[in-house]
Amino acid sequence: MSQVPMVTLSHGSAMPRGGLGTSPMNDADAERAVGTALELGYRLIDTAENYRNEVGVGRALKHASRDEVFVTSKFNKRWHSVDGARQAFEASAEKLGVEYLDLLLIHWPNPEQDRYVDAWQGLIALREAGLVRAIGTSNFKPTHLQRLIDETGVAPEVNQVQLSPVWAKAAERDFHRQHGIVTEAWSPLGKGTDLLTHPTVQEIAKAHDRAPGQVVLRWETQQDVVPIPKSADHQRLAQNLAIFDFDLTDTELTALSALDGTAKPPADSDRSGH
């Protein structure tokens, strides 16, 4: 069984506090990586329509007990309607070979299209029908989230955002806490930045006899963030899971938080999306 602790989402589902991201793996790579991850004890697997690897992920899932794996997928803007959300679910479930999803997310708000509230209403209906255990969003800003809450009375259970010490998203995390939304981090190791080689990270890693990536992921989990790092390497996969048996000090947490804003700006979901 998994060595990862769980967090209870607002609607009652239990989600692991860490998992595996699969972007940008193809089907074959995803099948291998997910298979290895499950053998190592991972129980949260994250994919998406846009990754085009749901079939490969599904092949690996066939070797696990379905009720022991928390499966997440996300859908694109072409499905942003009440009926579209149902179609998106059915397409993902078929590719993954599952009867239900543990978590389904709107991948990007695409505010210029202005249909994400309709998509959210479709997700609410899917949860009520028992086809999806939990529902949420990805790359939504507080303004987008507030609109969902104001117009439907239902807050997402999870919001997945680009987050690491260099993109700390403190204001977003505070909004999430106030509304019972769990923060999940994509690109939690700061892909495209020098985060893992930063002297602060290196010094803390040395003090704990840990890999730099473990220090960064532990900073996130101690901020109540659920990281989903991507890796296909066996050693790295094992390291990324082994982060719950040590704690960073308050001083170390503060030092890592001080790295916020030191990298290129994160993706802007008012301008990006699919």
Side-chain angles (χ1 to χ4, degrees), residues 25-60:
M25 300 178 189
N26 60 28
D27 279 324
D29 291 341
E31 181 179 1
R32 286 191 293 269
V34 172
T36 300
L38 292 172
E39 290 174 0
L40 288 169
Y42 281 79
R43 290 298 179 265
L44 190 167
I45 305 298
D46 180 274
T47 183
E49 171 193 359
N50 210 63
Y51 301 168
R52 299 180 180 178
N53 63 19
E54 289 173 308
V55 170
V57 171
R59 290 175 187 151

Side-chain angles (χ1 to χ4, degrees), residues 215-230:
V215 165
V216 170
L217 296 174
R218 189 61 178 137
W219 174 85
E220 288 151 8
T221 58
Q222 286 185 241
Q223 311 291 324
D224 294 325
V225 172
V226 176
I228 47 169
K230 188 274 293 185

Side-chain angles (χ1 to χ4, degrees), residues 88-267:
F89 160 77
E90 290 175 349
S92 287
E94 181 178 3
K95 291 175 183 175
L96 288 162
V98 298
E99 295 184 355
Y100 67 92
L101 286 172
D102 295 280
L103 176 63
L104 184 58
L105 310 176
I106 303 171
H107 205 154
W108 292 84
N110 297 286
E112 78 289 345
Q113 181 178 257
D114 196 26
R115 284 166 42 195
Y116 63 82
V117 175
D118 295 332
W120 184 238
Q121 291 171 330
L123 279 180
I124 294 169
L126 283 170
R127 189 175 67 181
E128 290 175 348
L131 296 172
V132 175
R133 302 288 173 85
I135 56 176
T137 51
S138 178
N139 302 300
F140 275 51
K141 295 180 178 181
T143 51
H144 306 137
L145 296 169
Q146 189 64 61
R147 185 178 174 196
L148 294 184
I149 295 168
D150 289 344
E151 296 193 25
T152 70
V154 179
E157 296 175 71
V158 174
N159 188 33
Q160 186 183 117
V161 295
Q162 185 180 15
L163 187 152
S164 75
V166 296
W167 308 303
K169 305 280 178 79
E172 289 89 335
R173 287 188 282 117
D174 185 57
F175 182 93
H176 295 168
R177 277 193 295 270
Q178 292 176 23
H179 294 87
I181 302 169
V182 170
T183 304
E184 191 172 35
W186 65 267
S187 201
L189 296 174
K191 183 179 180 180
T193 75
D194 63 356
L195 175 61
L196 298 184
T197 59
H198 193 283
T200 297
V201 176
Q202 292 280 325
E203 180 181 345
I204 295 172
K206 184 177 181 179
H208 289 272
D209 192 24
R210 296 283 177 156
Q214 290 178 301
V215 165
V216 170
L217 296 174
R218 189 61 178 137
W219 174 85
E220 288 151 8
T221 58
Q222 286 185 241
Q223 311 291 324
D224 294 325
V225 172
V226 176
I228 47 169
K230 188 274 293 185
S231 181
D233 178 79
H234 188 283
Q235 181 179 9
R236 187 65 57 81
L237 282 165
Q239 287 180 346
N240 290 347
L241 195 67
I243 58 171
F244 297 98
D245 58 349
F246 74 104
D247 289 315
L248 302 176
T249 67
D250 289 343
T251 299
E252 291 168 339
L253 293 171
T254 299
L256 290 168
S257 295
L259 300 179
D260 186 32
T262 60
K264 64 182 180 181

